[in-house]
Amino acid sequence: SAEDSEAFVTLATTDSYCKGAVVVARSLRRHGTTRSTVVMVTPNISEQSRFALKDVFDEVIPVDVMDSDDHVHLSWLGRPELGITFTKLHCWTLTQYSKCVFLDADTLVLCNVDELFERDELSAAPDPGWPDCFNSGVFVFRPSLHTHGGLLDHALQHGSFDGGDQGLLNSFFSSWPAGDISKRLPFVYNLNASSFYSYLPAFQQFGHNAKIVHFLGAGKPWSQREESRSLTMQQFVCLWWKEYLSDTTSSTAGKQQQVRTSVCSERAAEAEADEERLQHRRLWEAGRADYLGRDTFQNIQKMLDRFLD
């Protein structure tokens, strides 16, 4: 059947991204996908990580590292590590499948998204930074050695305008912004953090319809580096951890789970306080001060005194 020849594909280029990939596979399974799950891994991935991946994916496929070696453009971006994303192009060589959906390893699937296979190449959601470009964290494609060759030629001749796979794919599939509207996926299929800040009212209105969350940027859910996150983002991070720890049965995992849960609730409380401060400031700036409550003259006087001390 068509379903048997279709797959969700992701890529792990470091051991820490393997954690992300495990969550991609688990979240797809949890929401009842009927398609195969495939992860491509680079040679530097440890035996232990491969083992963890074999546990949750239908197929683990070793691929070579391709680096754009485009240091000039990558340094413009301030993200030299993005060169490795050229390895993503290997997904077009998976010709044992007729159609695939690529998901970056820093995504989390929140519901069944098998309907994506009704779309054709190259379907993707707009990037919030420049909506006439698609974000390459989630896209529908058809494996083909012909397309793979074309992409490599294009890379050699033109490089990538951002030094990463997104620039290359956007210039190769250049009809995306003005072409077939059915190839433009709704933003909820690739909801990324920056949009929570740039257009908060829309996020509050539509965010609960999110289907795939994309943890863009340097601070990943699994990394130690914490960024200030909105309350909603914090909830998504907690969901990510819940998924990551869902199948680990050892007692250490249990302890980790407890630590994570308490950290999650602390962070959620902090985020809620931040959110409240932000909301208060927004109302104040919009001229809707709470003159009978926290914005009484007395309270403002106290704040000024503290500030001037």
Side-chain angles (χ1 to χ4, degrees), residues 36-110:
S36 298
T37 55
V38 177
V39 59
M40 303 186 296
V41 293
T42 47
N44 55 313
I45 301 296
S46 71
E47 207 46 56
Q48 196 184 359
S49 293
R50 277 169 207 253
F51 203 71
L53 294 171
K54 284 198 171 95
D55 205 33
V56 288
F57 280 92
D58 294 317
E59 238 191 309
V60 177
I61 299 174
V63 293
D64 294 331
V65 179
M66 281 175 64
D67 193 316
S68 69
D69 253 338
D70 190 346
H71 298 299
V72 178
H73 284 144
L74 288 171
S75 60
W76 281 352
L77 268 181
R79 296 281 299 279
E81 77 279 10
L82 272 181
I84 192 100
T85 51
F86 267 47
T87 312
K88 202 187 268 196
L89 300 184
H90 283 301
C91 68
W92 269 273
T93 65
L94 305 174
T95 51
Q96 63 272 46
Y97 298 103
S98 60
K99 193 190 277 184
C100 298
V101 172
F102 188 92
L103 299 174
D104 269 350
D106 56 354
T107 56
L108 172 67
V109 177
L110 300 172

Coordinates of all heavy atoms in Angstrom, one line a residue, residues 36-110:
S36 N 6.3 4.6 8.4 CA 7.6 4.2 9.0 C 8.3 5.4 9.5 O 8.0 6.6 9.1 CB 8.5 3.6 7.8 OG 7.9 2.5 7.3
T37 N 9.2 5.1 10.5 CA 10.0 6.2 11.0 C 11.5 5.9 10.7 O 11.9 4.8 11.0 CB 9.8 6.4 12.5 OG1 10.0 5.1 13.2 CG2 8.4 6.8 12.9
V38 N 12.2 6.9 10.2 CA 13.6 6.7 9.8 C 14.5 7.8 10.4 O 14.1 9.0 10.4 CB 13.6 6.8 8.2 CG1 15.1 6.7 7.7 CG2 12.8 5.8 7.6
V39 N 15.6 7.4 10.8 CA 16.6 8.5 11.3 C 17.9 8.2 10.5 O 18.4 7.1 10.4 CB 16.8 8.4 12.8 CG1 17.3 7.1 13.3 CG2 17.8 9.6 13.3
M40 N 18.5 9.3 10.0 CA 19.8 9.3 9.4 C 20.8 9.7 10.4 O 20.5 10.7 11.2 CB 19.8 10.2 8.2 CG 18.8 10.0 7.1 SD 19.0 11.0 5.6 CE 18.7 12.7 6.2
V41 N 21.9 9.0 10.5 CA 22.9 9.3 11.5 C 24.3 9.5 10.9 O 24.6 8.7 10.0 CB 23.0 8.2 12.7 CG1 21.7 8.2 13.5 CG2 23.3 6.8 12.1
T42 N 25.0 10.4 11.4 CA 26.4 10.7 10.9 C 27.4 9.8 11.7 O 27.1 9.3 12.8 CB 26.7 12.2 11.1 OG1 26.4 12.6 12.4 CG2 26.0 13.0 10.1
P43 N 28.6 9.6 11.1 CA 29.6 8.6 11.7 C 30.0 8.9 13.1 O 30.4 8.0 13.8 CB 30.8 8.8 10.8 CG 30.2 9.3 9.5 CD 29.1 10.2 9.9
N44 N 29.9 10.2 13.6 CA 30.3 10.5 14.9 C 29.4 10.1 16.0 O 29.7 10.3 17.2 CB 30.6 12.1 15.0 CG 29.3 12.8 14.6 OD1 28.7 12.5 13.6 ND2 28.9 13.8 15.4
I45 N 28.2 9.6 15.7 CA 27.2 9.2 16.7 C 27.7 8.0 17.4 O 28.1 7.0 16.8 CB 25.8 8.9 16.0 CG1 25.3 10.2 15.3 CG2 24.8 8.5 17.1 CD1 25.0 11.4 16.1
S46 N 27.7 8.0 18.8 CA 28.2 6.9 19.6 C 27.3 5.7 19.4 O 26.1 5.8 19.1 CB 28.2 7.4 21.0 OG 26.9 7.5 21.5
E47 N 27.9 4.6 19.8 CA 27.3 3.3 19.7 C 26.0 3.3 20.6 O 24.9 2.8 20.2 CB 28.3 2.2 20.2 CG 28.0 0.8 19.7 CD 27.8 0.8 18.1 OE1 28.6 1.3 17.4 OE2 26.7 0.3 17.7
Q48 N 26.2 3.9 21.8 CA 25.1 3.9 22.8 C 23.9 4.7 22.2 O 22.7 4.2 22.4 CB 25.6 4.7 24.0 CG 24.8 4.5 25.3 CD 25.3 5.3 26.4 OE1 26.4 6.0 26.3 NE2 24.7 5.3 27.5
S49 N 24.2 5.8 21.5 CA 23.1 6.6 21.0 C 22.4 5.9 19.8 O 21.2 5.9 19.7 CB 23.6 7.9 20.4 OG 24.0 8.8 21.5
R50 N 23.2 5.2 19.0 CA 22.6 4.4 17.9 C 21.7 3.3 18.5 O 20.6 3.1 17.9 CB 23.7 3.7 17.1 CG 24.3 4.6 16.1 CD 25.6 3.9 15.5 NE 26.5 4.9 15.0 CZ 26.7 5.1 13.7 NH1 26.1 4.4 12.8 NH2 27.5 6.1 13.4
F51 N 22.1 2.7 19.6 CA 21.3 1.7 20.2 C 20.0 2.3 20.7 O 18.9 1.6 20.5 CB 22.1 1.2 21.4 CG 21.7 -0.2 21.9 CD1 22.1 -1.3 21.1 CD2 21.0 -0.3 23.1 CE1 21.7 -2.6 21.5 CE2 20.7 -1.6 23.5 CZ 21.0 -2.7 22.7
A52 N 20.0 3.5 21.3 CA 18.8 4.1 21.7 C 17.9 4.4 20.6 O 16.6 4.3 20.6 CB 19.1 5.4 22.5
L53 N 18.5 4.8 19.4 CA 17.7 5.1 18.2 C 17.0 3.8 17.6 O 15.9 3.9 17.2 CB 18.5 5.8 17.2 CG 19.0 7.2 17.6 CD1 20.0 7.7 16.5 CD2 17.9 8.2 17.7
K54 N 17.8 2.7 17.6 CA 17.3 1.5 17.1 C 16.1 1.0 17.8 O 15.2 0.3 17.3 CB 18.4 0.4 17.1 CG 19.4 0.6 16.0 CD 20.2 -0.7 15.8 CE 21.1 -0.6 14.6 NZ 22.5 -0.1 14.9
D55 N 16.0 1.4 19.1 CA 14.9 1.0 20.0 C 13.6 1.7 19.5 O 12.5 1.1 19.7 CB 15.3 1.5 21.4 CG 14.6 0.6 22.4 OD1 14.4 -0.5 22.1 OD2 14.2 1.2 23.5
V56 N 13.7 2.9 19.0 CA 12.4 3.6 18.7 C 12.1 3.9 17.2 O 11.0 4.2 16.9 CB 12.4 5.0 19.4 CG1 12.2 4.8 20.9 CG2 13.7 5.8 19.2
F57 N 13.1 3.7 16.3 CA 12.9 4.0 14.9 C 12.8 2.6 14.1 O 13.4 1.6 14.5 CB 14.1 4.8 14.3 CG 14.0 6.2 14.6 CD1 14.6 6.8 15.7 CD2 13.3 7.1 13.7 CE1 14.5 8.2 16.0 CE2 13.2 8.4 14.0 CZ 13.8 9.0 15.1
D58 N 12.1 2.7 13.0 CA 12.0 1.5 12.2 C 13.3 1.3 11.5 O 13.7 0.1 11.2 CB 10.9 1.6 11.1 CG 9.5 1.7 11.8 OD1 9.3 0.9 12.7 OD2 8.7 2.5 11.4
E59 N 14.0 2.4 11.1 CA 15.2 2.3 10.3 C 16.2 3.3 10.8 O 15.9 4.5 11.0 CB 14.9 2.5 8.8 CG 15.3 1.3 8.0 CD 15.3 1.7 6.5 OE1 14.2 2.2 6.0 OE2 16.3 1.4 5.8
V60 N 17.5 2.9 11.0 CA 18.6 3.8 11.3 C 19.6 3.7 10.2 O 20.1 2.7 9.9 CB 19.2 3.4 12.7 CG1 20.4 4.3 13.0 CG2 18.2 3.4 13.8
I61 N 19.7 4.8 9.5 CA 20.5 4.8 8.2 C 21.8 5.7 8.4 O 21.7 6.9 8.6 CB 19.7 5.3 7.0 CG1 18.5 4.3 6.8 CG2 20.5 5.4 5.8 CD1 17.5 4.7 5.8
P62 N 23.0 5.1 8.3 CA 24.2 5.9 8.4 C 24.4 6.7 7.2 O 24.2 6.2 6.1 CB 25.3 4.8 8.6 CG 24.6 3.5 8.7 CD 23.3 3.6 8.1
V63 N 24.8 8.0 7.3 CA 25.1 8.8 6.2 C 26.4 9.6 6.4 O 26.8 9.7 7.5 CB 24.0 9.9 5.9 CG1 22.7 9.2 5.5 CG2 23.7 10.7 7.1
D64 N 27.0 10.0 5.3 CA 28.3 10.8 5.5 C 28.0 12.2 5.9 O 26.9 12.7 5.6 CB 29.0 10.8 4.1 CG 29.5 9.4 3.7 OD1 29.8 8.6 4.6 OD2 29.6 9.2 2.5
V65 N 29.0 12.8 6.5 CA 28.8 14.3 6.8 C 29.0 15.1 5.6 O 30.0 14.9 4.9 CB 29.8 14.7 7.9 CG1 29.6 16.1 8.3 CG2 29.6 13.8 9.1
M66 N 28.1 16.0 5.3 CA 28.4 16.9 4.2 C 28.4 18.3 4.8 O 27.4 18.7 5.5 CB 27.3 16.9 3.2 CG 27.3 15.8 2.2 SD 25.9 15.9 1.2 CE 26.1 17.4 0.4
D67 N 29.4 19.0 4.7 CA 29.6 20.3 5.2 C 29.6 21.3 4.1 O 30.3 21.2 3.1 CB 30.9 20.4 6.0 CG 30.9 21.7 6.9 OD1 30.5 22.7 6.4 OD2 31.3 21.5 8.1
S68 N 28.8 22.4 4.2 CA 28.8 23.4 3.1 C 30.1 24.1 3.0 O 30.4 24.7 2.0 CB 27.7 24.4 3.4 OG 28.1 25.2 4.4
D69 N 30.9 24.0 4.1 CA 32.2 24.6 4.1 C 32.2 26.1 3.7 O 33.1 26.7 3.2 CB 33.2 23.9 3.1 CG 34.3 23.1 3.9 OD1 34.4 23.5 5.1 OD2 34.8 22.2 3.3
D70 N 31.0 26.6 3.9 CA 30.7 28.0 3.4 C 30.9 28.9 4.7 O 29.9 29.5 5.2 CB 29.3 28.0 2.9 CG 29.0 29.3 2.2 OD1 29.8 30.3 2.3 OD2 28.0 29.4 1.5
H71 N 32.1 29.1 5.1 CA 32.4 29.7 6.4 C 32.0 31.2 6.3 O 31.6 31.8 7.3 CB 33.8 29.6 6.8 CG 34.2 28.2 7.0 ND1 33.6 27.4 8.0 CD2 35.1 27.4 6.3 CE1 34.1 26.2 7.9 NE2 35.0 26.1 6.9
V72 N 32.1 31.8 5.2 CA 31.8 33.2 5.1 C 30.3 33.5 5.4 O 29.9 34.2 6.3 CB 32.1 33.8 3.6 CG1 31.7 35.2 3.5 CG2 33.5 33.6 3.3
H73 N 29.4 32.7 4.7 CA 28.0 32.9 4.9 C 27.6 32.4 6.3 O 26.8 33.1 7.0 CB 27.1 32.2 3.9 CG 27.1 32.9 2.6 ND1 27.1 32.2 1.4 CD2 27.1 34.2 2.3 CE1 27.1 33.1 0.4 NE2 27.1 34.3 0.9
L74 N 28.2 31.3 6.8 CA 27.8 30.8 8.1 C 28.3 31.8 9.2 O 27.6 31.9 10.2 CB 28.5 29.5 8.3 CG 27.8 28.3 7.5 CD1 28.7 27.1 7.6 CD2 26.4 28.0 7.9
S75 N 29.4 32.5 9.0 CA 29.8 33.5 10.0 C 28.9 34.7 10.0 O 28.7 35.3 11.0 CB 31.2 33.8 9.8 OG 31.4 34.4 8.6
W76 N 28.3 35.0 8.8 CA 27.3 36.1 8.8 C 26.2 35.8 9.7 O 25.7 36.6 10.4 CB 26.7 36.3 7.4 CG 27.5 37.0 6.4 CD1 28.7 37.6 6.6 CD2 27.2 37.0 5.0 NE1 29.2 38.1 5.4 CE2 28.3 37.8 4.4 CE3 26.2 36.6 4.2 CZ2 28.3 38.1 3.0 CZ3 26.2 36.8 2.9 CH2 27.3 37.6 2.3
L77 N 25.8 34.5 9.6 CA 24.6 34.1 10.5 C 25.0 34.0 11.9 O 24.2 33.9 12.8 CB 24.2 32.7 10.0 CG 23.1 32.6 9.0 CD1 22.9 31.1 8.7 CD2 21.9 33.2 9.4
G78 N 26.3 34.0 12.2 CA 26.8 33.7 13.6 C 26.5 32.3 14.0 O 26.4 32.1 15.2
R79 N 26.3 31.4 13.1 CA 26.0 30.0 13.4 C 26.9 29.1 12.6 O 26.4 28.4 11.7 CB 24.5 29.7 13.1 CG 23.5 30.5 13.9 CD 23.3 30.0 15.3 NE 22.8 28.6 15.3 CZ 21.6 28.2 15.1 NH1 20.6 29.1 14.9 NH2 21.2 27.0 15.1
P80 N 28.2 29.0 12.9 CA 29.1 28.2 12.1 C 28.7 26.7 12.1 O 29.0 26.0 11.1 CB 30.4 28.4 12.7 CG 30.2 29.0 14.0 CD 28.9 29.8 13.9
E81 N 28.0 26.3 13.1 CA 27.6 24.9 13.2 C 26.6 24.4 12.2 O 26.4 23.3 12.0 CB 27.2 24.5 14.6 CG 25.8 24.9 15.0 CD 25.6 26.4 15.4 OE1 26.6 27.2 15.2 OE2 24.5 26.8 15.8
L82 N 26.0 25.4 11.5 CA 24.9 25.1 10.6 C 25.4 24.3 9.3 O 24.6 23.8 8.6 CB 24.1 26.3 10.1 CG 23.0 26.7 11.0 CD1 22.3 27.9 10.5 CD2 22.0 25.6 11.2
G83 N 26.7 24.4 9.0 CA 27.2 23.8 7.8 C 26.8 22.3 7.7 O 26.5 21.8 6.6
I84 N 26.8 21.6 8.8 CA 26.5 20.2 8.9 C 25.1 19.9 8.4 O 24.8 18.8 7.9 CB 26.6 19.7 10.3 CG1 26.6 18.2 10.4 CG2 25.5 20.3 11.2 CD1 27.9 17.6 10.5
T85 N 24.2 21.0 8.4 CA 22.8 20.7 7.9 C 22.7 20.3 6.5 O 21.7 19.9 6.0 CB 21.9 22.0 8.2 OG1 22.6 23.1 7.6 CG2 21.7 22.2 9.6
F86 N 23.8 20.5 5.7 CA 23.8 20.1 4.3 C 23.7 18.6 4.3 O 23.2 18.0 3.3 CB 25.1 20.5 3.6 CG 25.0 21.8 2.9 CD1 24.4 22.9 3.6 CD2 25.4 22.0 1.6 CE1 24.3 24.1 3.0 CE2 25.3 23.2 1.0 CZ 24.7 24.3 1.7
T87 N 24.0 17.9 5.4 CA 23.9 16.5 5.4 C 22.4 16.1 5.2 O 22.1 15.0 4.8 CB 24.3 16.0 6.8 OG1 25.6 16.6 7.1 CG2 24.5 14.5 6.9
K88 N 21.5 17.0 5.5 CA 20.1 16.8 5.4 C 19.7 16.4 3.9 O 18.7 15.7 3.7 CB 19.4 18.1 5.7 CG 17.9 17.9 6.1 CD 17.2 19.3 6.3 CE 17.3 19.8 7.7 NZ 16.3 20.9 7.9
L89 N 20.5 16.9 3.0 CA 20.2 16.6 1.6 C 20.2 15.1 1.3 O 19.6 14.6 0.3 CB 21.2 17.2 0.6 CG 21.3 18.8 0.7 CD1 22.3 19.3 -0.3 CD2 19.9 19.4 0.5
H90 N 20.9 14.3 2.1 CA 20.9 12.8 1.9 C 19.5 12.2 2.0 O 19.2 11.1 1.5 CB 21.7 12.1 3.0 CG 23.2 12.2 2.8 ND1 23.8 11.7 1.7 CD2 24.1 12.8 3.6 CE1 25.1 12.0 1.9 NE2 25.3 12.6 3.0
C91 N 18.5 13.0 2.5 CA 17.1 12.4 2.6 C 16.6 12.1 1.2 O 15.7 11.3 1.1 CB 16.2 13.3 3.5 SG 15.8 14.9 2.8
W92 N 17.1 12.9 0.2 CA 16.5 12.6 -1.1 C 17.0 11.3 -1.7 O 16.5 10.8 -2.7 CB 16.9 13.7 -2.1 CG 15.8 14.8 -2.1 CD1 14.7 14.7 -2.9 CD2 15.6 15.9 -1.3 NE1 13.8 15.8 -2.6 CE2 14.4 16.5 -1.6 CE3 16.4 16.5 -0.3 CZ2 13.9 17.7 -1.0 CZ3 15.9 17.6 0.3 CH2 14.7 18.2 0.0
T93 N 18.0 10.6 -1.0 CA 18.5 9.4 -1.5 C 17.7 8.2 -1.0 O 18.0 7.0 -1.3 CB 20.0 9.2 -1.2 OG1 20.1 9.1 0.3 CG2 20.9 10.3 -1.7
L94 N 16.7 8.4 -0.1 CA 16.0 7.3 0.5 C 14.9 6.8 -0.5 O 13.7 6.8 -0.2 CB 15.3 7.8 1.8 CG 16.3 8.4 2.9 CD1 15.5 8.9 4.0 CD2 17.3 7.3 3.3
T95 N 15.4 6.3 -1.7 CA 14.4 6.0 -2.7 C 13.6 4.7 -2.5 O 12.8 4.4 -3.3 CB 15.2 5.9 -4.1 OG1 16.3 5.0 -3.9 CG2 15.7 7.2 -4.6
Q96 N 13.9 4.0 -1.3 CA 13.0 2.9 -1.0 C 11.6 3.4 -0.6 O 10.7 2.7 -0.5 CB 13.6 2.0 0.1 CG 13.8 2.7 1.5 CD 15.2 3.4 1.6 OE1 15.6 4.1 0.7 NE2 15.9 3.2 2.7
Y97 N 11.5 4.8 -0.4 CA 10.2 5.4 0.0 C 9.7 6.3 -1.2 O 10.6 6.9 -1.8 CB 10.3 6.2 1.3 CG 10.7 5.4 2.4 CD1 12.0 5.4 2.9 CD2 9.8 4.5 3.1 CE1 12.4 4.6 4.0 CE2 10.2 3.7 4.1 CZ 11.5 3.7 4.6 OH 11.8 2.9 5.6
S98 N 8.4 6.3 -1.4 CA 7.9 7.1 -2.5 C 7.7 8.6 -2.1 O 7.8 9.5 -2.9 CB 6.6 6.5 -3.0 OG 5.6 6.5 -2.0
K99 N 7.3 8.8 -0.8 CA 7.1 10.1 -0.3 C 7.5 10.2 1.2 O 7.3 9.2 1.9 CB 5.7 10.5 -0.5 CG 5.4 12.0 -0.3 CD 3.9 12.4 -0.2 CE 3.3 12.5 -1.6 NZ 1.9 12.9 -1.5
C100 N 8.1 11.3 1.6 CA 8.5 11.4 3.0 C 8.1 12.8 3.6 O 8.0 13.7 2.8 CB 10.0 11.2 3.1 SG 10.6 9.6 2.6
V101 N 8.1 12.8 4.9 CA 8.0 14.1 5.6 C 9.2 14.2 6.5 O 9.5 13.3 7.3 CB 6.7 14.1 6.5 CG1 6.7 15.4 7.4 CG2 5.5 14.1 5.7
F102 N 10.0 15.3 6.2 CA 11.2 15.5 7.0 C 10.8 16.3 8.3 O 10.1 17.3 8.2 CB 12.3 16.2 6.2 CG 13.6 16.3 7.0 CD1 14.5 15.3 6.8 CD2 13.8 17.3 7.9 CE1 15.7 15.3 7.6 CE2 15.0 17.3 8.7 CZ 15.9 16.3 8.5
L103 N 11.3 15.9 9.4 CA 11.2 16.7 10.7 C 12.5 16.9 11.3 O 13.3 15.9 11.5 CB 10.3 15.9 11.7 CG 8.9 15.5 11.3 CD1 8.2 14.6 12.3 CD2 8.0 16.8 11.1
D104 N 12.9 18.1 11.6 CA 14.1 18.4 12.3 C 14.1 17.7 13.7 O 13.0 17.5 14.2 CB 14.3 19.9 12.6 CG 15.1 20.5 11.4 OD1 15.6 19.8 10.6 OD2 15.2 21.8 11.4
A105 N 15.3 17.3 14.2 CA 15.3 16.6 15.5 C 14.9 17.5 16.7 O 14.8 17.0 17.8 CB 16.7 16.0 15.7
D106 N 14.8 18.8 16.4 CA 14.4 19.6 17.5 C 12.9 20.0 17.4 O 12.5 21.1 17.8 CB 15.2 20.9 17.6 CG 15.3 21.7 16.3 OD1 14.7 21.2 15.3 OD2 15.9 22.8 16.3
T107 N 12.1 19.0 16.9 CA 10.7 19.3 16.8 C 10.0 18.3 17.8 O 10.5 17.3 18.2 CB 10.1 19.0 15.4 OG1 10.5 17.7 15.0 CG2 10.6 20.1 14.4
L108 N 8.7 18.6 18.1 CA 7.9 17.8 19.0 C 6.5 17.7 18.3 O 5.9 18.7 18.0 CB 7.8 18.4 20.4 CG 6.8 17.7 21.3 CD1 7.2 16.3 21.7 CD2 6.6 18.6 22.6
V109 N 6.1 16.5 18.0 CA 4.8 16.2 17.4 C 3.7 16.2 18.4 O 3.8 15.4 19.4 CB 4.8 15.0 16.5 CG1 3.5 14.7 15.9 CG2 5.9 15.1 15.5
L110 N 2.6 17.0 18.3 CA 1.6 17.1 19.3 C 0.3 16.3 19.0 O -0.6 16.3 19.9 CB 1.3 18.6 19.6 CG 2.5 19.5 20.0 CD1 2.0 20.9 20.0 CD2 3.0 19.1 21.4

